Amino acid sequence: EPRYSEYYSHTPRRGRNSKKNLVEMSAPEPKRAKAETKEEEEDKLNDELLVAAQSGNVKEVSRLLEAKADVAFQESQQGISALMAAAVGGHSEAVNELLCAGAPWNAVDKSGRCAGDYALRAGHQAVVDRIVSAGVAAELLFAQM
């Protein structure tokens, strides 16, 4: 079964520089602007959403969405979204949770593949069908506008 990690390699963020001398290490950290701290928190939530979606952890996906993780977030390296991560693993409950929260069914990664492509290549027809159903519903709503 293909895993999300085959399509996405996450490099953890580096912590504090271990080569700092003692004076630098004992100096107080400069205060960060709130926007930077908020941005870091959002990045952490979004990264956690990708991991939860990859593993099919629906409770964690729900918790992260309630905590305001961005359902439309795509990581910068390859453009993978949480929906794509859940789709490639065949996690239909996580896919459904993300779609119900407004995940864009038609978002594409940097290679031009959408979540349906990931599910199809991995052989998860039920997930493909759910994503297609979400796309059809969206198009029908747009047609009525």
Side-chain angles (χ1 to χ4, degrees), residues 3-76:
R3 303 267 314 159
Y4 166 66
S5 58
E6 292 176 19
Y7 300 101
Y8 170 72
S9 61
H10 177 66
T11 306
R13 292 184 176 87
R14 295 185 63 173
R16 298 174 77 172
N17 185 347
S18 60
K19 295 182 182 181
K20 288 183 178 180
N21 66 35
L22 188 57
V23 174
E24 289 176 308
M25 290 175 69
S26 63
E29 288 279 328
K31 294 196 178 199
R32 299 180 191 176
K34 278 207 178 258
E36 193 174 311
T37 302
K38 183 178 178 185
E39 199 172 285
E40 288 173 357
E41 288 174 18
E42 289 170 356
D43 286 347
K44 183 179 182 223
L45 281 175
N46 293 335
D47 287 343
E48 289 175 6
L49 181 61
L50 289 171
V51 172
Q54 172 195 358
S55 66
N57 186 340
V58 181
K59 287 182 181 180
E60 184 67 1
V61 167
S62 296
R63 184 192 72 76
L64 291 163
L65 292 172
E66 288 175 18
K68 303 298 183 209
D70 183 1
V71 74
F73 172 76
Q74 291 181 261
E75 56 84 27
S76 60

Side-chain angles (χ1 to χ4, degrees), residues 71 83 94-105 127 130-132 134-135:
V71 74
L83 185 60
V95 166
N96 193 54
E97 184 73 21
L98 291 162
L99 288 169
C100 288
W105 61 273
V127 172
R130 177 62 182 102
I131 294 168
V132 168

